[in-house]
Amino acid sequence: MSSPPSDAPRAATEDAVFAAALAAVRKGVNPFAAQVAAVGTAEESLLGGVPEFAEAQLQELLDVIGTYRDGRPATQVFPVLGERGAGKTHLFYSLRNELKQLAGERGEETLLVVVDRLSPGMDATDYLLWQIANHFLAQKGEGGRMLNVIAGRLTARLLGEALRQLAPHQKAELVPSGGFFSSLGFGASKVQARIDAVDDVARQCDAKHPTAAQVRSAVEGAGVKPETANDVVARHLDRTESNDVVGWLRKELYKRLARVALLGDREPFEELHMGGFDDARANVKNAGNLGRRMLETWLELLAVLGVPVVIAFDQLEDYVNAPDKEQERLNRKFFTDATAKFINELRSVCLLVFANETFWIDLINAAEPFVKERLTQPFTLPGRPARAHLRMPDSVPPELIEKVVQRRLRLKFPDLDLTGLPPTFPFDAGAVKQLARERTIRTLLRGLAKRYDEIVYPLPVKPGAPTPPLVVSPPNFRKRLEDLWREKVAAAARYLESEVTVGAAFIPEVQNALGGWLQALHQNQLTGAGPWHRVELVTDTALGAYGYLSVVRTEGRNAPGVGVAAWLGQRRGLPQDLRQRLEFFDANPCPIRTLVMLRAEGEAVLSGAETKRVFDAARGRKRDVRVQAYEPRHLHALLAFTPWQQTATEELKAAAETDPTAGQVFRDYLADLSKELLGWVDQWRLPREGGGAKGAKS
């Protein structure tokens, strides 16, 4: 076996150490093979990355978000541009990690909404509302934690204000007679002790970043019942808020957050976000678009509490690219129009867009002037000139290459003893100097991966024979796609387990994911037993979370198709939920001839007498209504698909450079991955046994 190439001879002892280290790493995997940052590998990406590479860009992004924490600047787009492989996704992971640390160490919270996919046809502002609502409705994970943070800080503010406005005798009345304060004196002294205790609660409410637990502890420590404190907050809101639509929504949201903080009661909060407007005044019910107004109320509250709302689009090109050029044109227009709508209609939202620079320029140039002006508005930071975007570094200096080598090697070989080895082991200084010409992190890693294999797995050479050219076999792209799928499914399972409550507020996210998978199949002409003429997301914002429907047009581009609707919930199916789904049959024009509702327990969801009556009545009117049972693995796969597709598409571009069959391999794997979903659609497109399939009104 030939010895590894080197710039300079090494001493015998150095050769022995070097050879031993080579033997050790030869048993492992190439630490430079992973060249695309992905959702399932975010932690590894951070551990094996070099934050110094984009340190300036990271600090600028933190400064941008800081302006939204300290004040209320206008909604604006902040593009982060660079070549493919420049490290934009890694920068995004670093930013997200830094924001988590700021929340944990300083209490500086940020509501970060990461857009996996924004389906054409989805109302952009409605999408944001459901992202916020679903985040806070989760009873676990980051969403559950942050709901308690928001509820605690708001309640402390409201309770402190309310207590300070009470007369002395009203403060004294909050503390029941008897108990601890009965031993503090007689007559006036007892009353004063109660007043002092209540004043102390108000002072504790002024603490920086008070938690819900601290507010409850202060209340109980003063001898005030949490229920009494909650009533104080409610009466304060009744006195100070108006009875118009804005005042009513603010009052109801704040009251229910106070119940979360003081009583640990989440149910009224959840009901409000699932259309709980039955008790509203007539002027509120008739105002229209209450979802939009609720979003504005949330954005106002978060701004008051100094919690920036950040919407992030990572790898923007993956949101809009499509095999079909007309679909891609529509996707691009939808994105630019939706982003301009965010800017026009929402207050104090920070929009971060990570994109390929050439792609972004083409996107902006194709936009209408009104949209273009809003997406290219320059921004300023103290002490820096105005700019229209941030740019990733366009070169990798040698000192950073050395750090990349060291960190990647330590990540994959944590037990490897590096004593006596050169700092760039297994590479020599010449290789590092040569790779310093690379413009992006990804091309650097590609070069390191190739050189690593040459050094660690050299080809055998016969004595006296010329060194044969290195032949690098194309990697097993199919296996890479399979590995990616397993990563994404596992990440989705963890997300559902730790962060999400699978209820009605989660429906928009599921419909968005389902629409993405169906669109991908349509674009790749994988449509099962027959062609699909169109796949679309039909929305009706008046129906709240139930106003989302994925439609596969199997009989014609505009003919009623198969509508697929998630019917999620932890409790028994309610007749009102079903009625809202059935309203799509009454739309004009009617988008569906068949309505399939996805429910974990299948038709057992119809166990309630009234729900069953509504279902049977719909079928009695010759409407093809079905309930499809699903398993947890189906939901895991659904949420995994878009992250998988985004990463796999990026991997496909790289694989196609050396493997002309990569495109077909991708399509074949997508077909295998989708067999069950395609089988379901084939089944749904057929008439239901024993029933009609009329989509028209009857």
Side-chain angles (χ1 to χ4, degrees):
M1 182 175 291
S2 63
S3 59
S6 176
D7 290 311
R10 287 186 294 268
T13 53
E14 291 178 325
D15 277 338
V17 171
F18 196 95
L22 276 183
V25 300
R26 195 171 290 128
K27 299 174 184 177
V29 299
N30 188 325
F32 308 97
Q35 298 152 18
V36 178
V39 173
T41 60
E43 184 177 354
E44 181 174 324
S45 177
L46 289 170
L47 291 173
V50 181
E52 297 91 335
F53 174 66
E55 191 172 28
Q57 288 78 4
L58 174 60
Q59 186 56 55
E60 287 193 290
L61 288 174
L62 291 170
D63 291 345
V64 164
I65 295 171
T67 64
Y68 285 85
R69 180 172 288 112
D70 298 334
R72 298 191 188 184
T75 295
Q76 189 168 345
V77 175
F78 300 89
V80 181
L81 307 180
E83 294 183 29
R84 185 161 61 99
K88 297 182 296 295
T89 295
H90 180 84
L91 172 61
F92 170 63
Y93 291 155
S94 298
L95 174 65
R96 187 167 59 181
N97 187 61
E98 193 72 22
L99 291 175
K100 286 183 178 179
Q101 289 185 14
L102 287 174
E105 295 172 4
R106 300 186 195 172
E108 295 181 1
E109 300 285 347
T110 303
L111 179 59
L112 177 63
V113 176
V114 183
V115 183
D116 281 334
R117 185 177 185 278
L118 195 57
S119 299
M122 176 172 280
D123 184 281
T125 52
D126 202 52
Y127 170 85
L128 178 57
L129 170 65
W130 288 112
Q131 288 289 302
I132 292 175
N134 189 57
H135 186 70
F136 288 133
L137 288 174
Q139 298 183 23
K140 51 195 174 184
E142 182 63 15
R145 183 198 70 80
M146 199 163 182
L147 174 62
N148 282 319
V149 168
I150 299 300
R153 293 183 185 180
L154 172 66
T155 303
R157 179 184 292 243
L158 294 173
L159 183 59
E161 290 175 0
L163 293 177
R164 280 188 288 271
Q165 293 177 15
L166 294 180
H169 73 278
Q170 292 174 314
K171 295 178 182 178
E173 290 170 357
L174 297 179
V175 183
S177 59
F180 173 73
F181 288 98
S182 65
S183 64
L184 294 183
F186 300 94
S189 62
K190 285 186 180 180
V191 174
Q192 188 59 48
R194 294 175 192 169
I195 295 171
D196 292 344
V198 171
D199 287 341
D200 187 56
V201 173
R203 282 191 293 272
Q204 292 187 59
C205 286
D206 291 336
K208 186 177 181 180
H209 305 325
T211 66
Q214 288 169 340
V215 174
R216 285 196 301 271
S217 176
V219 166
E220 292 170 345
V224 180
K225 293 180 179 179
E227 293 82 0
T228 302
N230 186 68
D231 290 342
V232 170
V233 171
R235 289 195 298 270
H236 173 71
L237 289 168
D238 288 336
R239 286 195 310 273
T240 57
E241 294 295 345
S242 65
N243 288 321
D244 61 11
V245 178
V246 173
W248 186 89
L249 284 172
R250 187 186 295 126
K251 179 166 52 180
E252 290 302 313
L253 176 60
Y254 290 9
K255 281 182 179 180
R256 296 168 198 233
L257 284 169
R259 289 190 67 88
V260 172
L262 291 167
L263 306 178
D265 181 9
R266 298 169 48 99
E267 190 168 335
F269 175 81
E270 294 172 359
E271 288 175 352
L272 180 67
H273 288 84
M274 296 316 304
F277 304 123
D278 293 341
D279 297 331
R281 299 164 62 97
N283 66 314
V284 175
K285 289 182 178 180
N286 299 330
N289 210 345
L290 290 177
R292 175 71 52 79
R293 293 170 185 264
M294 176 62 82
L295 174 59
E296 292 169 353
T297 305
W298 262 114
L299 293 178
E300 176 192 55
L301 170 60
L302 292 169
V304 166
L305 296 178
V307 178
V309 177
V310 180
I311 304 175
F313 294 85
D314 183 31
Q315 300 183 71
L316 176 64
E317 47 273 26
D318 291 338
Y319 294 89
V320 298
N321 285 343
D324 179 71
K325 292 302 178 184
E326 177 60 17
Q327 184 62 53
E328 183 170 315
R329 185 189 70 80
L330 293 174
N331 289 352
R332 289 186 177 217
K333 187 175 188 308
F334 176 72
F335 170 79
T336 54
D337 289 354
T339 308
K341 187 176 183 181
F342 274 139
I343 295 170
N344 256 21
E345 298 184 3
L346 301 180
R347 298 179 185 177
S348 301
V349 174
C350 174
L351 299 167
L352 301 182
V353 177
F354 297 79
N356 176 279
E357 186 167 6
T358 302
F359 173 86
W360 178 256
I361 292 171
D362 292 344
L363 188 74
I364 294 299
N365 288 339
E368 297 175 1
F370 172 85
V371 173
K372 183 176 181 179
E373 290 171 2
R374 279 149 183 78
L375 269 61
T376 57
Q377 176 72 17
F379 63 92
T380 59
L381 291 169
R384 283 159 278 191
R387 283 165 297 166
H389 57 261
L390 298 177
R391 181 177 276 109
M392 295 296 294
D394 58 5
S395 64
V396 188
E399 62 271 18
L400 287 186
I401 298 178
E402 184 174 310
K403 290 183 178 180
V404 169
V405 171
Q406 292 171 353
R407 291 179 187 176
R408 286 281 182 130
L409 201 67
R410 287 171 184 157
L411 180 65
K412 293 299 182 181
F413 302 98
D415 298 326
L416 180 65
D417 185 357
L418 300 176
T419 305
L421 294 172
T424 57
F425 172 85
F427 309 104
D428 55 38
V432 170
K433 185 176 180 180
Q434 186 177 17
L435 288 169
R437 297 197 297 262
E438 300 295 349
R439 289 175 53 84
T440 71
I441 284 287
R442 186 173 301 159
T443 54
L444 167 67
L445 290 172
R446 197 172 293 163
L448 288 172
K450 179 180 177 182
R451 186 66 182 136
Y452 182 90
D453 283 341
E454 292 174 6
I455 295 171
V456 178
Y457 308 106
L459 295 173
V461 180
K462 294 181 180 179
T467 302
L470 179 69
V471 179
V472 181
S473 300
N476 188 332
F477 185 49
R478 168 81 184 207
K479 183 177 185 304
R480 178 59 182 152
L481 294 176
E482 292 171 350
D483 291 344
L484 275 175
W485 180 249
R486 282 192 291 270
E487 288 175 10
K488 299 298 182 276
V489 170
R494 290 193 299 270
Y495 171 62
L496 283 168
E497 176 66 27
S498 62
E499 300 288 344
V500 174
T501 298
V502 181
F506 193 49
I507 288 174
E509 186 168 343
V510 170
Q511 295 288 166
N512 206 22
L514 175 61
W517 199 333
L518 293 172
Q519 284 282 3
L521 292 173
H522 184 224
Q523 291 164 2
N524 284 275
Q525 300 180 341
L526 298 170
T527 58
W532 299 350
H533 298 273
R534 185 156 55 123
V535 173
E536 63 182 318
L537 181 71
V538 176
T539 61
D540 182 350
T541 56
L543 299 176
Y546 295 99
Y548 296 83
L549 185 70
S550 300
V551 179
V552 182
R553 308 269 186 171
T554 58
E555 303 304 314
R557 183 168 179 81
N558 298 307
V562 177
V564 188
W567 187 5
L568 307 179
Q570 302 291 319
R571 308 167 188 167
R572 64 184 180 85
L574 299 177
Q576 180 58 21
D577 300 345
L578 178 56
R579 289 191 189 98
Q580 292 186 90
R581 283 305 195 192
L582 292 172
E583 284 193 29
F584 281 103
F585 280 110
D586 294 320
N588 186 14
C590 179
I592 54 173
R593 69 174 191 279
T594 299
L595 174 63
V596 180
M597 292 172 289
L598 305 177
R599 183 78 181 196
E601 64 267 42
E603 291 200 2
V605 72
L606 305 174
S607 58
E610 180 61 14
T611 305
K612 184 70 164 63
R613 188 196 67 76
V614 172
F615 185 84
D616 290 343
R619 282 192 167 179
R621 297 175 65 188
K622 304 299 183 184
R623 290 178 169 175
D624 186 0
V625 188
R626 315 182 193 186
V627 180
Q628 174 69 55
Y630 69 85
E631 300 172 17
R633 64 183 178 87
H634 295 127
L635 200 54
H636 298 165
L638 201 57
L639 295 180
F641 183 79
T642 293
W644 173 83
Q645 183 190 23
Q646 291 176 346
T647 306
T649 301
E650 196 67 23
E651 296 265 0
L652 172 60
K653 295 173 186 175
E657 295 177 5
T658 56
D659 182 2
T661 69
Q664 188 59 47
V665 171
F666 175 86
R667 188 174 182 276
D668 290 345
Y669 186 68
L670 176 60
D672 290 345
L673 206 61
S674 309
K675 281 181 179 177
E676 192 167 12
L677 177 57
L678 287 170
W680 278 0
V681 177
D682 286 344
Q683 175 188 336
W684 298 335
R685 70 190 300 170
L686 297 174
R688 183 178 60 84
E689 292 184 12
K694 299 288 185 182
K697 299 177 184 180
S698 57

